[in-house]
Amino acid sequence: MNGWRSMQDNYFDLLIRNNNFVLNSGNEPELCKNSISIGQDVAHAIIESGLAYLLLAERSPTLRADIFTQIILLVEGDVRIIPGTVYIKEENSRRFLLTADTYDYGALKRTVDYEKQD
């Protein structure tokens, strides 16, 4: 069981891709659950905190590292995330990959795009 407490479906959300709801063939929103839902919550918390947008204008490697540290601390504040397991890899100047371990659902991978949308 890999040390996880349970595999029940405890977290549900509407599935979002490219800032839009994903619709099924009946034009109804699709649901996501558990680690996908947690990943969406984490990504939205990062965007809503404003920390990701600070990265757009910041070019100093030292100050960017500070912002990434603040993001890691924000994510580790989520009670579903195991502290000390959050890592960020910058994929390009407008997107990073966040990985973390959850208590109940194992590994979590989520890309966060922080370019402002029109």
Side-chain angles (χ1 to χ4, degrees):
M1 190 156 154
N2 297 337
W4 304 320
R5 291 191 297 230
S6 70
M7 291 302 285
Q8 294 178 350
D9 295 336
N10 292 319
Y11 303 102
F12 297 90
D13 203 351
L14 298 175
L15 183 59
I16 298 173
R17 281 199 197 113
N18 301 321
N19 296 323
N20 292 307
F21 294 115
V22 175
L23 303 177
N24 64 18
S25 60
N27 257 358
E28 298 172 339
E30 284 192 28
L31 293 177
C32 63
K33 58 187 176 183
N34 301 333
S35 64
I36 296 172
S37 177
I38 294 169
Q40 283 191 171
D41 290 347
V42 165
H44 293 147
I46 292 167
I47 298 298
E48 291 168 7
S49 74
L51 291 170
Y53 292 116
L54 293 177
L55 293 168
L56 285 173
E58 189 56 63
R59 297 294 171 233
S60 165
T62 302
L63 295 177
R64 288 178 71 79
D66 180 59
I67 295 168
F68 282 125
T69 299
Q70 291 178 57
I71 291 171
I72 289 170
L73 292 172
L74 174 70
V75 174
E76 287 182 344
D78 189 310
V79 297
R80 302 167 292 184
I81 303 293
I82 300 172
T85 65
V86 180
Y87 296 97
I88 293 176
K89 179 182 180 198
E90 195 166 17
E91 294 183 338
N92 61 45
S93 64
R94 303 201 186 285
R95 180 178 55 231
F96 61 83
L97 174 67
L98 182 138
T99 61
D101 290 334
T102 65
Y103 284 107
D104 294 326
Y105 304 104
L108 168 76
K109 281 186 176 180
R110 178 70 191 210
T111 57
V112 178
D113 294 306
Y114 46 93
E115 182 172 25
K116 287 195 175 191
Q117 303 292 320
D118 293 330

